């Protein structure tokens, strides 16, 4: 009984010594080395760009850029083309997101439904949209569907087209999310008297949505990025305004850099917002 | 009428109970697999039927046909005078009279215990929130976990979860309760707390159809024992007869195994 030296097979509390020291970190794996690398790489890029610019004899004229955002004429503030374009892009993004999610949800539910017609319809839509270039779809919407359906509004034609495009990808994510909820949840819903719609609303979607949020954010980010393609069909969104501005001013480097940055701010804010939302939901569950 | 048809008729003559579930000549296939073969079973109001049998014999499928979680291909199923067909209205009428408790509990993990219990009453029965809560608390007290009302299912033990599942079903005020191996997924020390609740429910006069291998519970509670094998009802008898003098060899073997495992 007193033989405690040989009882290594039964580690009592504190019998196994925890590692007292962390193994020394290798210097090339340290955060500091990462930062040094990053700065060095950044410096190299700036230097290379600068040299290229000098060789091209490009004259930076950043001072002309504020006019692209706003002007004050007779004490009155007038928004410049980049702000106008930004607002249109935000409008496309906002409506586009709502429609993308609605189309994605409806398609997913149709594919999971018992209705054969519904499933075929969904499948045809998905295959068509996914296997043709977006630019061709935009053209068809704009040059063919718009006159046929008598919509006289390139902005809404564009929003619809983008929503149908992104909605096809969203539907896959939504479908996978719905499928990840176990069959027992449907059955339990049925036994407490819920119909299919109520089961979706109160039982299945609340469990599926948190799983769908991260991949759906990717789709919504794509929506913002792909909205640039609408500059092809005379929607006055950010990219169109940028192109027109450059045609007028020849500030191509400045404008494209700034416009790129504006897209970046939009997409990254969206991702962070969703991440925040997700954390909220998790904290609640 | 088959043998069991006559047995059924005899039982009702004896007990003087009106039938609440009528299953006549029911057949069902999963693709080519004949999972239910000519099933005849009548359950009277207030009767407790315990169904047992080897794994894969079709017990779950049988009781899941009663509330249309599975559909039968042939024969008649009638619940409280309503014949079960493809008609959605009938299905939901029948479901509103039939509660079900699953082996895996199937609680709604995103809702609290209380919300699990009030969801059906509020959304399907149109009860007000206050009434639904009162109702839910009444049944949570019956299953002896009112103090867990605001917890989430994942915070409860298996036995507690299953009792919540029973309360959730009872909140729909069903006339019939179906149990599909309600204690099979539980640790041994939690089985009794669930069986006790089920016993009390039986004493309150509920019509119950239980698939279970808890033979002690069956002896105590059952009015009728049903033994299934290979999709057939092989034996149907009162617990006394069933346990003392099983007729078929298959049933003897099964009882042998289960009572002396
Ligand atoms: N959805 C399904 N599709 C195909 N076959 C199925 C399906 N559900 C059950 N089965 C098969 O039908 C047979 C009966 O299944 P059932 O679940 O009714 O048996 P059980 O008696 O409840 O068995 P256990 O004691 O294992 O729960 C089994 O062989 C099973 O594999
Ligand atoms: Mg089973």
């Amino acid at each position: 009984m007193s033989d405690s030296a040989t009882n290594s097979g039964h580690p009592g509390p504190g019998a196994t010594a925890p590692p007292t020291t962390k193994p020394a970190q290798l210097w090339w794996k340290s955060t500091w080395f990462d930062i040094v690398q990053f700065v060095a790489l950044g410096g190299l890029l700036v230097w290379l760009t600068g040299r290229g610019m000098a060789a091209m004899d490009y004259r930076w004229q950043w001072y002309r850029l504020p006019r692209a955002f706003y002007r004050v004429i007779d004490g009155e503030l007038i928004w410049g083309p980049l702000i106008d374009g930004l607002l249109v892009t935000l409008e496309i993004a906002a409506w586009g997101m709502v429609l993308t999610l609605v189309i994605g949800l409806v398609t997913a539910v149709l594919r999971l439904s018992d209705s054969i017609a519904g499933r075929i319809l969904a499948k045809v839509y998905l295959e068509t949209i996914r296997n043709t270039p977006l630019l061709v779809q935009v053209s068809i919407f704009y040059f063919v569907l718009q006159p046929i359906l008598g919509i006289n509004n390139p902005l809404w034609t564009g929003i619809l087209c983008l929503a149908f495009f992104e909605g096809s990808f969203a539907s896959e994510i939504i479908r996978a999310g719905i499928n990840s909820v176990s069959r027992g949840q449907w059955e339990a819903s049925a036994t407490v008297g819920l119909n299919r719609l109520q089961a979706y609303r109160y039982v299945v979607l609340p469990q599926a949505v948190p799983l769908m949020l991260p991949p759906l954010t990717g789709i919504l980010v794509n929506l913002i990025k792909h909205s640039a393609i609408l500059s092809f069909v005379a929607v006055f969104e950010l990219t169109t305004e940028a192109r027109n501005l450059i045609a007028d001013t020849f500030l191509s480097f400045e404008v494209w850099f700034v416009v790129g940055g504006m897209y970046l701010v939009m997409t990254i804010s969206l991702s962070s917002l969703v991440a925040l939302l997700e954390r909220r939901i998790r904290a609640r569950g | 009428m088959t043998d069991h048809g006559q047995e059924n008729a005899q039982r009702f003559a004896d007990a003087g109970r009106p039938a609440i579930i009528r299953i006549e000549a029911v057949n069902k296939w999963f693709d080519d697999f004949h999972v239910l073969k000519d099933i005849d079973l009548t359950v009277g109001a207030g009767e407790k039927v315990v169904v047992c049998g080897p794994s894969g014999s079709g017990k779950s499928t049988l009781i899941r046909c009663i509330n249309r979680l599975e559909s039968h291909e042939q024969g008649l199923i009638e619940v409280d005078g309503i014949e079960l067909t493809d008609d959605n209205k009938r299905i939901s009428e029948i479901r509103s009279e039939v509660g079900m408790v699953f082996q895996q509990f199937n609680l709604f993990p995103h809702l609290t215990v209380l919300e699990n219990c009030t969801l059906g009453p509020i959304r399907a029965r149109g009860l007000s929130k206050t009434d639904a809560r009162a109702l839910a608390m009444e049944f949570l007290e019956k299953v002896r976990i009112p103090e867990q009302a605001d917890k989430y299912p994942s915070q409860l033990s298996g036995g507690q979860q299953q009792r919540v599942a029973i309360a959730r079903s009872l909140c729909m005020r069903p006339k019939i309760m179906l149990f599909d191996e309600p204690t099979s997924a539980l640790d041994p020390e939690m089985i009794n707390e669930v069986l006790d609740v089920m016993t009390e429910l039986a004493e309150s006069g509920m019509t119950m159809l239980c698939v279970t291998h808890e033979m002690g519970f069956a002896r105590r509670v059952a009015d009728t024992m049903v033994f299934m094998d290979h999709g057939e009802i092989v034996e149907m008898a009162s617990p006394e007869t069933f346990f003392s003098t099983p007729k078929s060899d298959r049933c003897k073997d099964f009882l042998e195994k289960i009572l002396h495992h």
Side-chain angles (χ1 to χ4, degrees), chain A residues 183, chain B residues 30-31 33 35 53-62 70 103 180-181 211 213:
Chain A
R183 186 170 147 191
Chain B
F30 284 122
D31 298 321
F33 180 61
V35 58
S55 181
S57 56
K59 309 178 296 289
S60 301
T61 309
L62 174 61
E70 304 285 356
Q103 182 174 351
D180 190 357
E181 306 204 30
V211 176
H213 292 154

Side-chain angles (χ1 to χ4, degrees), chain A residues 46-223:
Chain A
V46 168
W47 180 72
L48 279 176
T49 316
R51 244 181 50 137
M53 302 267 111
M56 284 171 62
D57 204 17
Y58 188 86
R59 286 199 304 121
W60 292 97
Q61 300 178 45
W62 286 106
Y63 66 91
R64 288 175 64 193
L65 210 60
R67 287 167 57 91
F69 287 94
Y70 65 91
R71 276 175 299 169
V72 180
I73 296 173
D74 297 338
E76 209 183 327
L77 182 69
I78 297 178
W79 295 120
L82 288 188
I83 294 293
D84 288 344
L86 176 71
L87 291 178
V88 174
T89 292
L90 286 175
E91 192 180 348
I92 296 172
W95 285 112
M97 279 178 206
V98 174
L99 284 176
T100 297
L101 295 178
V102 170
I103 292 172
L105 183 64
V106 169
T107 311
V109 169
L110 274 182
R111 283 196 73 189
L112 294 168
S113 76
D114 298 330
S115 147
I116 294 174
R119 288 207 303 262
I120 292 177
L121 188 73
K123 196 77 188 151
V124 167
Y125 153 65
L126 288 178
E127 294 303 330
T128 317
I129 294 280
R130 276 203 217 147
N131 294 301
T132 53
L134 177 55
L135 194 54
V136 172
Q137 290 169 27
V138 172
S139 308
I140 291 178
F141 266 77
Y142 187 72
F143 296 112
V144 181
L145 290 185
Q146 183 167 262
I148 289 178
L149 300 178
I151 315 171
N152 193 16
N153 187 333
L155 177 65
W156 271 99
T157 311
I159 292 175
L160 268 180
C161 178
L162 279 177
F164 270 101
F165 181 76
E166 309 297 351
S168 73
F169 296 94
S171 84
E172 266 311 273
I173 293 168
I174 294 173
R175 191 170 75 114
I178 290 172
N179 272 339
S180 73
V181 175
S182 77
R183 186 170 147 191
Q185 294 290 306
W186 287 101
E187 293 179 349
S189 309
T191 61
V192 297
L194 303 187
N195 60 33
R196 211 171 157 80
L197 205 66
Q198 290 172 320
Y200 266 120
R201 163 125 197 252
Y202 299 111
V203 176
V204 176
L205 287 179
Q207 294 179 59
V209 164
L211 301 175
M212 303 186 307
L213 273 184
L216 275 182
T217 315
I219 300 287
L220 299 182
V221 164
N222 279 347
L223 176 75

